[in-house]
Amino acid sequence: MIKDTLWTLLAVVVFPGGLFAMALGLALKGVERRAIARLQRRVGPPLVQPFYDLVKLMRKRTLIPDTANRFVFLTVPLIGLAAMGVAAAMIPIPGFYQPSPLLGDLIVLFYLVSVPAVALMLAGSASGSPYGAIGFSREMAIVLAYEGPILLSLVAVALHAGAAMGQPIALNLSDIVNYQQQHGAFLFDPWLLPAFLTYLSFIPANLGIAPFDIPEAEAEVLEGPLVEYSGPPLGLLKLTSAIKSVVVIGLGVALFFPNGPDGIAGLVVFALKCVVMVLAGALLKAAVGRMRIDQAVLFYLKWPELLGVAGLVLVAARL
Amino acid sequence: MTFLKILWDNLRKGPSTEAFPFGEATTPAGYRGKVTFDAATCVGCNMCEHVCAAGAIRFAEADDGLHFVIWHNTCVSCGLCAYYCPTKAIKLSNDWHLSHLQQDKYTQLDHGVVAYKRCTSCGDKLLPTGSVLTQLAYKGPNPRAERLMDLCPECRRKASTRGEAI
Amino acid sequence: MTDASTIKDRVMSIARMIRGEFSISENRHGRVTAWITLADKDDLIATCHALKAFDARLSMITALADRNAGFNLLAYHFDIEGSTVTVKVKLVSGASIDSIVPIFRNADWHEREFMEFYDIKCTGRTDNRRLFLDESVDGRVMERLIPLSVISNAASTNMLFERLITDREKQ
Amino acid sequence: MKSFNMPVGPLHVSLEEPMYFRIDVEGEKVAGLEITAGHVHRGIEYLTAKRNIYQNLALIERVCSLCSNSHPEAYCMALETIAGIEVPERAQYLRVFADEIKRVASHMFNVAILAHVVGFESLFMHVMEAREIMQDTKETVFGNRMDLAANIIGGVKYDIDAAQSAYIISQLDRLEPLLLNEIIPVYETNATIQSRTRGIGRITREHCIEYGLMGPVARGAGHGYDVRTAAPYAVYDRMDVEVITYPDGDVWSRAMVRLKEVAASIRLLRQCLRDLPDGATDAGPLPFIPAGEAVTKVEAPRGELVYYVNTDGTDIPARVKWRVPSYMNWDVLHLMMVGEGISDIPLIVNSIDPCISCTER
Amino acid sequence: MNFFSTAAKKSPWLYRINAGSCNGCDVELATTACIPRYDVERLGCQYCGSPKHADIVLITGPLTARVKDRVLRVFDEIPDPKVTVAVGICPISGGVFRESYAIEGPIDRYLPVDVNVPGCPPRPQAIIEGIAMAIEIWAKRT
């Protein structure tokens, strides 16, 4: 029991949560920035640029605005980071890492994934700046818009996997991964295609990739919820968003295409899948502009929502 | 779709970034940069000071000659001084490496002394006329005029009344 | 594009209507430049109405202080299809003029501007706040009576050059 | 619905220049707007009365760097009118050339910023890279990328020789296909640009007349006033000036007018080089300016620019006054913004191409 | 040079303050900071939307009377350590606008300036040169 707890703690703090997820997340950010630079005919920053940025921020002074709620302002970044550390530890890396059941199931993970968004909302409103407030309301609108589709997508996969394994619903991510390791990835199952597309459409909104980078739109609301942050807390917020990209992409990989070799090669394949997703994100970011918040919300309520429902109906019809 | 093609072309063509600051930057020959001053050709007409909108040019009289000072930190490189300079003693180079640290702010200047000549007759000081101006005025060398130019205005007047005028 | 003679006729008809000085010239493109100096500032509104009826557009209002005569001039510049008509009004210092905003909407900022730069008042307006001048600056900066030293807060060229020379001598 | 007051500026990243708005916001919609001006007021009109006519050339060029050629041009024209100076024909052509090359750079900057405001960074960079072709040309021909210092009283102080002419044409040959085959089609068809800019910030032709609007803002609403054809100056009467209008009066129309004008300006630049006559580039040195007054107007990139100059026979002008197109175009922001979303504020502000440094002087 | 200053040297974030400039320097700053031809991201630079994120602040314009207080307030919002660069002759000496009633500058009357980049406007390469000087100072300060 104690050993289990220790291992779990290690998983959260060092691998695959904590330090490892941070490193991977920052490296992915570096890859993204470099890729976008190349698409725009630029040289771009070195791949390790996000590490430099983070280290630099850790040494800057923290300014707390007079209008801000000091306690909330400073703790919120930590909450987001902690949630993401735990979430990262819950993502199985096939053939390499199996999360401990102590960490909880798919439902817990679903809630953890929305914590950074909530943290960002709190950060925005705690900062007491009008831009932060607008960032807050936009973040809220977009979260409400994508929460539905993502839930539908998760439920569809869980139902499908559950039926295949003879359970009512499979909520354990490891089981879902193991099933796919043996019976082939869900990505190639046409019945799950709508669910997969729904998940894909959720990624840019959650990670703040164009055209859905509305809450942090620099030209409109400065950087929205981040506007009043500086120094280490800003670094933590940036770090959180880096880990979040690992979690969200990792969850997608686990749900739809976990297959890979055993051992360290499995880890490499996992990282490569993340890189491919990030490159696709970079292409999207470089190829489009930003939507208006009402357009984005309408978009989610229309297409991903419909796709999500369709996906669930398809899966249910097969049961 | 048009834009995806542009992105693809971008990727294919590779970065268009200039080498500077890690390599040399190209500068057109006609770039209006740092002002240069040639005291030898200056005739002290003050036209450059007169047309300078930013007050970057100052002439001051001293014992040894006419002092010319240009402060680059207020020069707008409009080129009016060079355009209106009758002898082209003032020119704009294409040097743009003007960035400097704050402690050097007040040393960013060029200085030239248009040295006084002594009148060959009475020894009074006078401003040299400069050969470029004589060339302009007489379209060629003129020994009598040049002798007159070595005299101060007072001696020149006397010389003229003696019938040495041109 | 424009029948210049008609514009000329239109301007002439206004000129006949008002009291004051008048001059007109035409360039090689047939565009007219007309100058009207009103004898009475109260004729301004009537003149503006007449110009408006001829599709004139207000392009600018210039205020200027006459250095010697001790009065201010307001010059209203109008554009009629590329031709320029300027209506000038003389004002003694501190006098007021009727607002033409009801006739030409875009006169608003111009009127606010001459009110803060000159000793001219404008009647019949709602918004009389300063437009460009900061509160820390004394008003009426364009009146020639105010010397530079009173209103300037920036470093002067002389000060800077004194510093330059002393720094150079120190080296 | 939650309503609050949002300050924009004076130092806001999406505003190139300091301008201060207080915007009443209801939810995500703009309910009211108040403008506070004066942050870039440098007292230039006051300075013109302290400096002589030559110094004023360089001073007036720095009213604004985006229309920096139009200001000295109109100022010189006014002094030439007062003194009755005939500007040589070659100089007239060179003035048109400088005018148009500035128009290209200014319009391209504005449409690039539009892409930046809608978060379309790649497009922004693409347009700016194309603009660099023109910047290089200016730097080579005039010696500076922004302030051309082309005009002097009685003519211009630069000249174009055969080698430069060939260079300019090669640069135009690079820019033109980029503009016609890539940039204009993207603005015409791209989904993001379309969905963000069409139908936003609408005004009508009647508004243009009522507010006295100018330039691409008016032409984007179907009001085709252009000084180059309405009151030709320099040699514009001999040029094939196209007045481009779009009927809709929205943000997109204004951007399209600018893009099409860039294409038209490139054709004018070619025409200038082709028709450039031989001769002097100025009317002789140091003219005497008698007492007098004149009003001149030119078409700056943003619309009609009016100059009034009054001289008293000394070489310090008694009064120099000007009005820039943005001066009136500001007022219409009330009309454009109310009822639009907060995301559209920077977009609408940018669409009138506000030149604050011009307006506030 | 320790680990922190090595990292900081590679990550100088830029912020621009317009203190009443004529646009010229601002357009050139936007050009320098954002377009592929000059690509300051190579140097680890990044333009930020909030002064609180900035390390190197670029100031343009002669500091007009009305914008002065705002500029000073925004400058104070930039957390230390920071480096200030005056871009263009206006903030350095007032340039052509010196001696106007509306000008409060030169900017070093109110703010500590570290690097001056004269020019009207300076070409982008000159601005990069100034930023490079500022980065050296910035690395020493962290």
Side-chain angles (χ1 to χ4, degrees), chain E residues 86-116:
Chain E
V87 177
I89 54 157
C90 291
I92 304 175
S93 66
V96 282
F97 308 122
R98 187 169 56 236
E99 300 192 335
S100 160
Y101 55 85
I103 304 298
E104 293 275 354
I107 211 130
D108 58 2
R109 289 169 81 188
Y110 299 96
L111 305 174
V113 174
D114 298 298
V115 177
N116 291 317

CSV table of all heavy atoms in Angstrom, one decimal, chain E residues 86-116:
chain,number,residue,atom,x,y,z
E,86,ALA,N,15.8,53.8,-26.2
E,86,ALA,CA,15.2,54.9,-26.8
E,86,ALA,C,15.4,54.8,-28.3
E,86,ALA,O,16.5,54.7,-28.8
E,86,ALA,CB,15.7,56.2,-26.3
E,87,VAL,N,14.3,54.6,-29.1
E,87,VAL,CA,14.3,54.4,-30.5
E,87,VAL,C,14.0,55.7,-31.3
E,87,VAL,O,12.9,56.2,-31.1
E,87,VAL,CB,13.4,53.2,-30.9
E,87,VAL,CG1,13.5,53.1,-32.5
E,87,VAL,CG2,13.8,52.0,-30.2
E,88,GLY,N,14.9,56.1,-32.1
E,88,GLY,CA,14.6,57.4,-32.9
E,88,GLY,C,15.2,58.6,-32.1
E,88,GLY,O,15.4,58.5,-30.9
E,89,ILE,N,15.4,59.7,-32.8
E,89,ILE,CA,16.0,60.8,-32.2
E,89,ILE,C,15.0,61.5,-31.2
E,89,ILE,O,15.5,62.2,-30.3
E,89,ILE,CB,16.5,61.8,-33.2
E,89,ILE,CG1,15.5,62.2,-34.2
E,89,ILE,CG2,17.8,61.3,-33.9
E,89,ILE,CD1,15.7,63.5,-34.8
E,90,CYS,N,13.7,61.3,-31.4
E,90,CYS,CA,12.8,62.1,-30.6
E,90,CYS,C,12.9,61.8,-29.1
E,90,CYS,O,13.0,62.7,-28.3
E,90,CYS,CB,11.3,61.8,-31.0
E,90,CYS,SG,11.0,62.5,-32.6
E,91,PRO,N,12.9,60.5,-28.7
E,91,PRO,CA,13.0,60.3,-27.2
E,91,PRO,C,14.4,60.7,-26.7
E,91,PRO,O,14.6,61.0,-25.5
E,91,PRO,CB,12.8,58.8,-27.1
E,91,PRO,CG,13.0,58.2,-28.4
E,91,PRO,CD,12.6,59.3,-29.4
E,92,ILE,N,15.4,60.7,-27.6
E,92,ILE,CA,16.8,60.9,-27.2
E,92,ILE,C,17.0,62.4,-26.9
E,92,ILE,O,17.6,62.8,-25.9
E,92,ILE,CB,17.8,60.4,-28.2
E,92,ILE,CG1,17.6,58.9,-28.5
E,92,ILE,CG2,19.2,60.7,-27.7
E,92,ILE,CD1,18.5,58.4,-29.6
E,93,SER,N,16.5,63.2,-27.9
E,93,SER,CA,16.8,64.7,-27.7
E,93,SER,C,15.6,65.6,-28.0
E,93,SER,O,15.7,66.8,-28.0
E,93,SER,CB,17.9,65.0,-28.7
E,93,SER,OG,17.4,64.9,-30.0
E,94,GLY,N,14.5,65.0,-28.4
E,94,GLY,CA,13.3,65.8,-28.8
E,94,GLY,C,13.3,66.0,-30.3
E,94,GLY,O,12.2,66.3,-30.8
E,95,GLY,N,14.4,65.8,-30.9
E,95,GLY,CA,14.4,65.9,-32.4
E,95,GLY,C,13.9,67.2,-32.9
E,95,GLY,O,14.1,68.2,-32.3
E,96,VAL,N,13.1,67.1,-34.0
E,96,VAL,CA,12.5,68.3,-34.6
E,96,VAL,C,11.5,69.0,-33.7
E,96,VAL,O,11.1,70.1,-33.9
E,96,VAL,CB,11.9,68.1,-36.0
E,96,VAL,CG1,12.9,68.0,-37.0
E,96,VAL,CG2,11.0,66.9,-35.9
E,97,PHE,N,11.0,68.2,-32.7
E,97,PHE,CA,9.9,68.8,-31.9
E,97,PHE,C,10.3,69.5,-30.7
E,97,PHE,O,9.5,70.0,-29.9
E,97,PHE,CB,8.9,67.7,-31.5
E,97,PHE,CG,8.4,66.8,-32.7
E,97,PHE,CD1,8.6,65.5,-32.7
E,97,PHE,CD2,7.8,67.5,-33.8
E,97,PHE,CE1,8.2,64.7,-33.8
E,97,PHE,CE2,7.4,66.7,-34.9
E,97,PHE,CZ,7.6,65.4,-34.9
E,98,ARG,N,11.6,69.5,-30.4
E,98,ARG,CA,12.2,70.1,-29.3
E,98,ARG,C,11.7,71.6,-29.2
E,98,ARG,O,11.6,72.2,-30.3
E,98,ARG,CB,13.7,70.0,-29.3
E,98,ARG,CG,14.4,70.5,-28.0
E,98,ARG,CD,15.8,70.1,-28.0
E,98,ARG,NE,16.5,70.6,-29.2
E,98,ARG,CZ,17.2,69.8,-30.1
E,98,ARG,NH1,17.2,68.5,-29.9
E,98,ARG,NH2,17.7,70.3,-31.1
E,99,GLU,N,11.5,72.1,-28.1
E,99,GLU,CA,11.1,73.5,-27.9
E,99,GLU,C,9.7,73.8,-28.2
E,99,GLU,O,9.3,74.9,-28.3
E,99,GLU,CB,12.0,74.5,-28.7
E,99,GLU,CG,13.5,74.3,-28.3
E,99,GLU,CD,14.4,75.4,-28.9
E,99,GLU,OE1,14.0,76.0,-29.9
E,99,GLU,OE2,15.4,75.7,-28.3
E,100,SER,N,8.9,72.7,-28.2
E,100,SER,CA,7.4,73.0,-28.3
E,100,SER,C,6.9,72.9,-26.9
E,100,SER,O,7.4,72.3,-26.0
E,100,SER,CB,6.8,71.9,-29.2
E,100,SER,OG,5.4,71.8,-28.9
E,101,TYR,N,5.8,73.6,-26.8
E,101,TYR,CA,5.1,73.7,-25.4
E,101,TYR,C,4.6,72.3,-25.0
E,101,TYR,O,4.3,72.0,-23.9
E,101,TYR,CB,4.0,74.7,-25.4
E,101,TYR,CG,3.0,74.4,-26.5
E,101,TYR,CD1,1.9,73.5,-26.3
E,101,TYR,CD2,3.1,75.1,-27.7
E,101,TYR,CE1,1.0,73.3,-27.3
E,101,TYR,CE2,2.2,74.8,-28.8
E,101,TYR,CZ,1.1,73.9,-28.5
E,101,TYR,OH,0.3,73.6,-29.5
E,102,ALA,N,4.3,71.4,-26.0
E,102,ALA,CA,3.6,70.2,-25.7
E,102,ALA,C,4.6,69.0,-25.4
E,102,ALA,O,4.2,67.9,-25.2
E,102,ALA,CB,2.7,69.8,-26.8
E,103,ILE,N,5.9,69.3,-25.5
E,103,ILE,CA,6.9,68.3,-25.4
E,103,ILE,C,7.5,68.3,-24.0
E,103,ILE,O,8.0,69.3,-23.5
E,103,ILE,CB,8.0,68.4,-26.5
E,103,ILE,CG1,7.4,68.4,-27.9
E,103,ILE,CG2,9.0,67.3,-26.3
E,103,ILE,CD1,6.6,67.2,-28.2
E,104,GLU,N,7.6,67.2,-23.3
E,104,GLU,CA,8.2,67.1,-22.0
E,104,GLU,C,9.6,66.4,-22.1
E,104,GLU,O,10.3,66.5,-21.1
E,104,GLU,CB,7.3,66.2,-21.1
E,104,GLU,CG,6.0,66.8,-20.8
E,104,GLU,CD,6.1,67.8,-19.6
E,104,GLU,OE1,7.1,67.9,-19.0
E,104,GLU,OE2,5.1,68.5,-19.3
E,105,GLY,N,9.9,65.8,-23.2
E,105,GLY,CA,11.1,65.1,-23.3
E,105,GLY,C,12.4,66.0,-23.3
E,105,GLY,O,12.2,67.2,-23.0
E,106,PRO,N,13.5,65.5,-23.5
E,106,PRO,CA,13.9,64.1,-23.8
E,106,PRO,C,13.5,63.2,-22.7
E,106,PRO,O,13.4,63.6,-21.5
E,106,PRO,CB,15.4,64.2,-23.9
E,106,PRO,CG,15.8,65.6,-24.0
E,106,PRO,CD,14.7,66.4,-23.4
E,107,ILE,N,13.4,61.9,-23.0
E,107,ILE,CA,12.8,61.0,-22.2
E,107,ILE,C,13.7,60.7,-21.0
E,107,ILE,O,13.2,60.2,-19.9
E,107,ILE,CB,12.5,59.7,-23.0
E,107,ILE,CG1,11.3,59.0,-22.4
E,107,ILE,CG2,13.6,58.7,-23.0
E,107,ILE,CD1,10.3,58.6,-23.3
E,108,ASP,N,15.0,60.9,-21.1
E,108,ASP,CA,15.9,60.6,-19.9
E,108,ASP,C,15.8,61.6,-18.8
E,108,ASP,O,16.4,61.5,-17.8
E,108,ASP,CB,17.4,60.4,-20.4
E,108,ASP,CG,17.9,61.6,-21.1
E,108,ASP,OD1,17.2,62.6,-21.2
E,108,ASP,OD2,19.1,61.6,-21.5
E,109,ARG,N,14.9,62.6,-19.0
E,109,ARG,CA,14.6,63.4,-17.8
E,109,ARG,C,13.7,62.7,-16.8
E,109,ARG,O,13.7,63.1,-15.7
E,109,ARG,CB,13.8,64.7,-18.3
E,109,ARG,CG,14.7,65.7,-19.1
E,109,ARG,CD,13.8,66.7,-19.7
E,109,ARG,NE,13.4,67.7,-18.8
E,109,ARG,CZ,12.5,68.7,-19.1
E,109,ARG,NH1,11.9,68.7,-20.3
E,109,ARG,NH2,12.2,69.6,-18.3
E,110,TYR,N,13.0,61.7,-17.3
E,110,TYR,CA,12.1,61.0,-16.4
E,110,TYR,C,12.4,59.5,-16.2
E,110,TYR,O,12.0,58.9,-15.2
E,110,TYR,CB,10.7,61.1,-17.0
E,110,TYR,CG,10.2,62.5,-17.0
E,110,TYR,CD1,10.3,63.3,-18.2
E,110,TYR,CD2,9.7,63.2,-15.9
E,110,TYR,CE1,9.9,64.6,-18.3
E,110,TYR,CE2,9.3,64.5,-16.0
E,110,TYR,CZ,9.4,65.2,-17.2
E,110,TYR,OH,9.0,66.5,-17.2
E,111,LEU,N,13.0,58.9,-17.2
E,111,LEU,CA,13.2,57.4,-17.1
E,111,LEU,C,14.7,57.1,-17.3
E,111,LEU,O,15.4,57.8,-18.0
E,111,LEU,CB,12.5,56.7,-18.3
E,111,LEU,CG,11.0,57.0,-18.4
E,111,LEU,CD1,10.5,56.3,-19.7
E,111,LEU,CD2,10.3,56.4,-17.2
E,112,PRO,N,15.2,56.1,-16.7
E,112,PRO,CA,16.6,55.7,-16.9
E,112,PRO,C,16.7,55.0,-18.3
E,112,PRO,O,16.1,53.9,-18.5
E,112,PRO,CB,16.8,54.6,-15.8
E,112,PRO,CG,15.5,54.1,-15.4
E,112,PRO,CD,14.5,55.2,-15.7
E,113,VAL,N,17.4,55.6,-19.2
E,113,VAL,CA,17.6,55.0,-20.5
E,113,VAL,C,18.9,54.3,-20.5
E,113,VAL,O,19.9,54.7,-19.9
E,113,VAL,CB,17.5,56.1,-21.6
E,113,VAL,CG1,17.8,55.6,-22.9
E,113,VAL,CG2,16.2,56.8,-21.6
E,114,ASP,N,19.0,53.2,-21.2
E,114,ASP,CA,20.2,52.4,-21.3
E,114,ASP,C,20.9,52.5,-22.7
E,114,ASP,O,22.1,52.6,-22.8
E,114,ASP,CB,20.0,51.0,-21.0
E,114,ASP,CG,19.5,50.8,-19.5
E,114,ASP,OD1,20.2,51.2,-18.6
E,114,ASP,OD2,18.3,50.4,-19.4
E,115,VAL,N,20.1,52.4,-23.7
E,115,VAL,CA,20.6,52.4,-25.1
E,115,VAL,C,19.9,53.4,-25.9
E,115,VAL,O,18.7,53.5,-25.8
E,115,VAL,CB,20.5,51.0,-25.7
E,115,VAL,CG1,21.0,51.0,-27.1
E,115,VAL,CG2,21.3,49.9,-24.9
E,116,ASN,N,20.6,54.1,-26.8
E,116,ASN,CA,20.0,55.0,-27.7
E,116,ASN,C,20.2,54.5,-29.1
E,116,ASN,O,21.3,54.1,-29.5
E,116,ASN,CB,20.6,56.4,-27.6
E,116,ASN,CG,20.3,57.1,-26.3
E,116,ASN,OD1,19.1,57.0,-25.8
E,116,ASN,ND2,21.3,57.7,-25.7
